[in-house]
Amino acid sequence: MNFDLNEEQVMLRDLVLRFAADRYDPVKRLGYLRDPRGFSAEGWATIAETGLLAFPFAQELGGFGGGAVELITVMEALGRSVAVEPILPVIVMAGGLIERAGSPEQQAELLPAITAGKTFAALAYSERDARYGLEKVATMATEDSAGTVVSGTKQMVLGGPFADDFLVVARETTGAIGIFKIAADAPGVRRRDYRVVDGSVASDLDLSRAPAERLPDGQAALEAALDEARLGICGELMGLMSMIFDSTLDYLKTRNQFGQAIGSFQAVQHRMADHYSRLELSRGQVYRAAAQHGNRQDRGASVSGAKAYISQHALLLAEDAVQLHGGIGTTEELMIGQAFKRVLLLSSLLGDSDWELQRYVALTRH
């Protein structure tokens, strides 16, 4: 398989890297995270002006028409930069679901404003007792004289504190899974905001007969959007792994102990060689998943297999990098410590390694 990027994909990657090179170091990144929204409004506006927020959407919707490789390319560049801009929750997860499940009117209403950086949407998917699947979704959508209303609770809604609209996954009276758009300021919506492990922001939602607007397509569109988000997570983890590996390798060449660089010790070299192998195998896994154009079941299996592998080995690399740096690796003074926290979040987002592996097994039994 040819992993080389074409000219347009290289330009897309370089656009992200140039943006990050001008704006990011450990201190600046922490400053962005201290914003109540967990990112810089100025930085988001700058990205919007470049048109980058439109990269995954179809051209007829005003996007660039980017596919799986473009998604991986952008997310890997963001991961290498340890960027805080909420492209994953707003563009990939919420925007991707609107593109797949929304009506033409809903797409026209929401996507241009999102890609212009003017409004934000957030996917409300997780529930306390549902783990990562859809089988035990308890949030209910019902009809009354005023229209559709949704009741239930959602947890860890990434981007919830600054969202203008929530895309809520709920069970309809028929038992089917549906997607419902609920305004953040609608009656019946209560929100508890908090920080997650990497410093970004999320919310828990308590919905009590909140007025909602149904998106036409339901579970199939949701599963496709979630698989695309998993692929984006894999891309970002791959970028984080590359940054962590390169930074650790540089540190090992300069940190002296017992009169020589610690990178000269054979045991350390073996550990780094193992991590390099895992990094390259992760790259192969994610591009294999991107190249899967079979049915939805086969693609879902490939994506879950890739995420199970990459999540496990990204954690191993990040933990080892912190240990090799010593005490300073646990602090936020270095990007290593900040990147480690991002890996912790992404490795379990939408499914940890065990759950993804179980899903892979279930989807390949046919």
Side-chain angles (χ1 to χ4, degrees):
M1 184 185 298
N2 182 10
F3 288 172
D4 292 337
L5 302 179
N6 62 33
E7 184 178 352
E8 291 181 351
Q9 291 162 351
V10 169
M11 291 175 61
L12 197 59
R13 179 199 64 194
D14 291 348
L15 176 63
V16 178
L17 293 177
R18 282 197 303 271
F19 166 81
D22 294 338
R23 296 182 55 83
Y24 274 90
D25 62 34
V27 175
K28 289 180 179 178
R29 184 179 184 276
L30 290 175
Y32 303 147
L33 284 174
R34 291 190 189 101
D35 186 282
R37 294 178 294 184
F39 66 95
S40 163
E42 178 188 356
W44 190 251
T46 300
I47 291 181
E49 288 173 2
T50 67
L52 181 65
L53 300 183
F55 82 91
F57 303 120
Q59 292 180 349
E60 55 267 29
L61 297 175
F64 291 173
V69 174
E70 287 75 17
L71 173 65
I72 294 167
T73 300
V74 170
M75 298 308 295
E76 182 178 2
L78 290 168
R80 179 174 280 276
S81 308
V82 202
V84 300
E85 282 71 26
I87 287 181
L88 178 64
V90 175
I91 303 300
V92 179
M93 295 171 67
L97 185 56
I98 293 167
E99 181 179 25
R100 288 169 175 80
S103 66
E105 294 76 18
Q106 290 166 335
Q107 293 168 348
E109 174 194 356
L110 297 170
L111 289 181
I114 290 173
T115 57
K118 296 178 180 178
T119 64
F120 298 89
L123 173 61
Y125 166 74
S126 300
E127 295 186 15
R128 188 175 304 278
D129 297 325
R131 194 158 165 74
Y132 301 112
L134 297 172
E135 297 81 7
K136 295 184 179 180
V137 170
T139 300
M140 290 296 300
T142 57
E143 299 288 335
D144 66 10
S145 58
T148 304
V149 294
V150 174
S151 299
T153 59
K154 292 292 179 180
Q155 67 174 6
M156 198 174 164
V157 180
L158 292 181
F162 55 82
D164 300 292
D165 294 290
F166 296 113
L167 302 176
V168 179
V169 178
R171 193 172 301 280
E172 302 182 67
T173 52
T174 61
I177 295 295
I179 317 298
F180 299 86
K181 180 175 78 73
I182 300 176
D185 58 357
V189 177
R190 288 195 301 166
R191 198 183 73 206
R192 184 177 70 86
D193 302 336
Y194 52 89
R195 300 271 180 174
V196 292
V197 65
D198 69 335
S200 59
V201 296
S203 300
D204 289 348
L205 301 182
D206 185 3
L207 306 172
S208 178
R209 299 186 61 80
E213 178 183 340
R214 185 180 183 275
L215 277 64
D217 292 330
Q219 184 166 342
L222 173 63
E223 290 178 347
L226 291 176
D227 279 337
E228 199 75 357
R230 289 186 177 97
L231 195 61
I233 291 168
C234 288
E236 187 172 350
L237 282 171
M238 202 162 62
L240 286 161
M241 290 174 74
S242 297
M243 190 283 294
I244 291 171
F245 180 88
D246 291 345
S247 297
T248 303
L249 187 61
D250 289 343
Y251 180 79
L252 295 177
K253 292 176 180 178
T254 57
R255 173 72 167 90
N256 287 334
Q257 189 68 37
F258 307 111
Q260 57 186 315
I262 60 176
S264 65
F265 300 137
Q266 191 176 57
V268 174
Q269 292 175 354
H270 287 171
R271 289 164 72 176
M272 293 302 290
D274 287 343
H275 287 308
Y276 180 77
S277 298
R278 293 172 186 137
L279 172 59
E280 291 305 309
L281 287 170
S282 295
R283 193 178 305 278
Q285 287 280 347
V286 72
Y287 278 104
R288 174 183 176 273
Q292 177 59 255
H293 298 300
N295 59 44
R296 181 167 55 84
Q297 196 167 5
D298 290 341
R299 180 170 174 78
S302 295
V303 171
S304 278
K307 187 169 183 295
Y309 184 90
I310 294 170
S311 295
Q312 178 183 1
H313 291 102
L315 274 173
L316 284 174
L317 172 57
E319 290 169 352
D320 220 10
V322 168
Q323 195 273 331
L324 288 168
H325 276 79
I328 197 172
T330 65
T331 72
E332 294 181 329
E333 183 177 342
L334 298 181
M335 274 293 196
I336 289 291
Q338 298 184 43
F340 175 58
K341 294 178 180 179
R342 183 66 178 170
V343 170
L344 284 175
L345 174 70
L346 293 178
S347 61
S348 61
L349 186 61
L350 301 183
D352 58 20
S353 292
D354 290 341
W355 187 87
E356 295 287 6
L357 191 58
Q358 291 169 6
R359 181 175 185 251
Y360 171 82
V361 171
L363 290 174
T364 51
R365 286 177 177 169
H366 64 85

